[in-house]
Amino acid sequence: MPIADYGIIGRVVVLGGALAVSAVLGPFPAEQKARGQTTTQPERRGAVADSTSGRREGRDTSRAGRWREVRRRKAQSMEEHGPTFVQRATSFVTNIGGAVVPHRLILDVPQLEVADFHPVFGGLDGDAGTTAGVLYAPAFWTGEGRLAEAEVLGSLRGYYGAGARFGTVSEPYMGYAYARYHHRPREGFYGVGADSRVDTEAGFRLNQGVVGGLLGWAPRSSVLLGGHLSYQANRYGTGRGDRPTVAEQFGATLPGVGTDMDYLMLGAFFELDVRDAPYTRAFGHRFAPTKPRLRGVSLDASRGFYLASEVTHNVSMRGQDVDFTRFTLDVREFMPISEGLLHGFSFRQFASVTHSGDGRVPFYRLQSVGGARSLRGYPSGRFRDRNVLLANAEVRCQIWHWIDMAVFADAGHVFRTFREVHFADPRVGYGLGFRIKNEGKTLGRVDVARGQEGWELHLDLGSLF
């Protein structure tokens, strides 16, 4: 029956069916179409010539060939996936330069550098919290064997500070001068001794300035010894917040309450470093007189030994009978488990002994433990007394090319005299931590720790030891 007899609907149905058959079967070879057409001979020769040209070009007109061509074109048309947020962050960290000194991260970011200024994070002591600032290091002086820098810092909790360092190295000698001022308006004090209670916390303000110099001699690449001389000014006041004052909580007769105390500090130190970490003794790693907290150097060793000892005599410059001498010993050992696990076992032992004629030492100059930089699982400065014993142990392993994991345990004790030491009852903390690393340097770490008073989350820059 002619197509016209089906009407308009019939024509559409028949035409659609023809198109479907054509799509399934695909195009016929040129020779077959030419033989099926009632055209003139010249047109057939032209069709055969076109087919021959297609074979010369290597075209595969089979169904499998057509599918391969479709997949090839699809692959070419697909857009490449952009990097994820983690990949972008990793690339940024990998490409930046800078230095990691104790609990400070100084960045060298070309996109952010303006006239020798560098962003810096960390650098304030106590309960400062998140800290950032700007460091100025003039390029005309800073270089190998020379240092000149000044910085301004501030935190979200109202802490601020400023500092400057200037020095040079002429092997085997080194020397530099330093000055620093810190405003710490929200410090916490829980009392003196291991039996202090967390619910008796008092608040105070401490403004502290230090100026001085240091000289060192390195008879061997692994040995450094020297001395330092500095002047420290302490200004005590009422802290911010609703916590009671130290005088209200512990009495006005506590040494350091209500009086300003200045000290002339004279000291000597010795260091032995045989760790496998590439160790360039950079300026800023030895700030013993300007850093009353426990020291920590961000050198990520997996094997070796480190020892530092120091004695510092503090002479009161205001006539008060509060002179004292402090001895410290810091020992660290690193033992690999295997070449495939980084870093293995890491241990640290720290001791601080303070000698004073009548035992009068300002409470804010007492050695303390507690917080991310000493006894994890407790608030910063939780325990204070004249003498301190501390031990840290970590099992470290690499779980990603820029992330390490650590299982740790800390034990610490504070005491007034050695007769009061109770080795069977130390304060203990333990937990799990992660370290973000770049080119062997620990940029930052997160530790979740449990102590005898509960859980604590510690965030800090650099490594503990």
Side-chain angles (χ1 to χ4, degrees):
M1 182 178 294
I3 294 178
D5 294 342
Y6 289 99
I8 297 175
I9 296 177
R11 295 191 193 94
V12 172
V13 171
V14 173
L15 183 58
L19 291 174
V21 172
S22 175
V24 173
L25 296 180
F28 290 98
E31 294 92 342
Q32 294 178 358
K33 289 191 293 184
R35 284 194 293 269
Q37 293 175 348
T38 56
T39 56
T40 63
Q41 187 67 22
E43 290 177 345
R44 287 198 299 271
R45 285 196 299 267
V48 173
D50 291 342
S51 176
T52 304
S53 174
R55 286 193 297 271
R56 285 197 305 265
E57 294 176 2
R59 295 173 184 169
D60 188 353
T61 57
S62 65
R63 179 173 296 181
R66 291 196 301 273
W67 277 112
R68 284 194 294 270
E69 181 66 15
V70 170
R71 288 195 296 269
R72 185 184 65 81
R73 293 179 180 178
K74 184 177 180 180
Q76 290 178 346
S77 63
M78 290 179 62
E79 296 182 0
E80 295 184 0
H81 294 288
T84 64
F85 172 78
V86 174
Q87 291 172 331
R88 290 195 299 268
T90 304
S91 176
F92 175 79
V93 172
T94 303
N95 292 331
I96 66 174
V100 183
V101 297
H103 316 298
R104 286 198 308 158
L105 175 61
I106 304 171
L107 299 183
D108 182 10
V109 185
Q111 296 86 343
L112 300 180
E113 286 186 21
V114 178
D116 301 330
F117 286 92
H118 306 265
V120 57
F121 298 91
L124 291 178
D125 299 334
D127 296 324
T130 303
T131 302
V134 177
L135 180 139
Y136 173 68
F140 69 86
W141 177 261
T142 303
E144 184 177 358
R146 295 182 298 179
L147 171 78
E149 62 183 27
E151 65 182 359
V152 177
L153 304 170
S155 82
L156 298 178
R157 303 194 66 192
Y159 286 57
Y160 58 83
R165 289 164 289 275
F166 179 85
T168 184
V169 173
S170 179
E171 297 292 349
Y173 303 101
M174 61 172 289
Y176 61 89
Y178 47 82
R180 186 199 72 178
Y181 173 80
H182 281 180
H183 171 69
R184 299 153 61 180
R186 302 172 62 94
E187 293 294 278
F189 178 63
Y190 302 87
V192 178
D195 296 329
S196 61
R197 303 198 314 269
V198 70
D199 58 356
T200 61
E201 182 185 11
F204 68 97
R205 170 183 55 81
L206 181 64
N207 296 337
Q208 188 179 80
V210 176
V211 59
L214 180 147
L215 294 175
W217 173 52
R220 299 174 56 183
S221 60
S222 60
V223 176
L224 176 67
L225 54 90
H228 54 79
L229 176 68
S230 56
Y231 188 93
Q232 182 188 76
N234 301 284
R235 299 295 178 264
Y236 167 85
T238 303
R240 293 182 183 177
D242 55 359
R243 293 174 296 182
T245 66
V246 176
E248 294 171 345
Q249 194 76 293
F250 302 100
T253 60
L254 184 70
V257 174
T259 57
D260 297 332
M261 296 187 178
D262 296 355
Y263 282 98
L264 179 67
M265 299 189 296
L266 176 65
F269 60 86
F270 170 81
E271 286 187 355
L272 173 65
D273 192 344
V274 290
R275 292 174 290 182
D276 63 348
Y279 186 59
T280 300
R281 202 177 302 277
F283 292 105
H285 285 170
R286 160 133 315 266
F287 276 155
T290 68
K291 300 292 185 181
R293 66 175 186 270
L294 303 181
R295 295 189 302 276
V297 180
S298 291
L299 295 174
D300 297 282
S302 60
R303 186 192 308 271
F305 176 81
Y306 172 83
L307 181 146
S309 62
E310 183 177 346
V311 55
T312 303
H313 184 57
N314 296 259
V315 181
S316 174
M317 303 301 292
R318 287 178 170 260
Q320 301 106 324
D321 188 15
V322 288
D323 297 356
F324 64 94
T325 303
R326 177 164 292 159
F327 305 87
T328 62
L329 178 66
D330 191 352
V331 182
R332 310 172 192 182
E333 305 93 5
F334 304 87
M335 296 183 297
I337 298 175
S338 68
E339 296 298 330
L341 291 176
L342 301 176
H343 294 282
F345 293 107
S346 301
F347 303 98
R348 178 195 188 197
Q349 302 86 41
F350 180 88
S352 175
V353 178
T354 301
H355 173 74
S356 178
D358 59 358
R360 289 177 55 83
V361 179
F363 73 91
Y364 48 78
R365 291 295 312 276
L366 294 172
Q367 188 64 272
S368 66
V369 294
R373 301 174 184 178
S374 57
L375 182 59
R376 289 162 289 189
Y378 299 87
S380 176
R382 173 63 183 87
F383 303 101
R384 294 175 186 259
D385 214 327
R386 292 172 29 137
N387 307 307
V388 161
L389 294 176
L390 175 69
N392 307 101
E394 292 189 355
V395 181
R396 303 172 179 174
C397 64
Q398 187 179 49
I399 61 175
W400 197 252
H401 59 89
W402 51 276
I403 296 180
D404 281 7
M405 183 179 71
V407 179
F408 60 85
D410 304 330
H413 194 52
V414 298
F415 53 96
R416 179 180 177 84
T417 65
F418 281 94
R419 292 189 298 270
E420 301 175 2
V421 179
H422 300 288
F423 292 103
D425 187 27
R427 297 297 181 263
V428 178
Y430 57 89
L432 179 70
F434 297 91
R435 287 89 173 94
I436 301 174
K437 305 184 69 176
N438 178 38
E439 297 181 353
K441 297 179 293 187
T442 298
L443 303 182
R445 57 189 174 92
V446 180
D447 290 331
V448 180
R450 179 174 176 80
Q452 293 166 301
E453 299 171 348
W455 291 91
E456 289 284 338
L457 175 64
H458 302 293
L459 307 176
D460 201 10
L461 295 172
S463 61
L464 175 61
F465 64 97

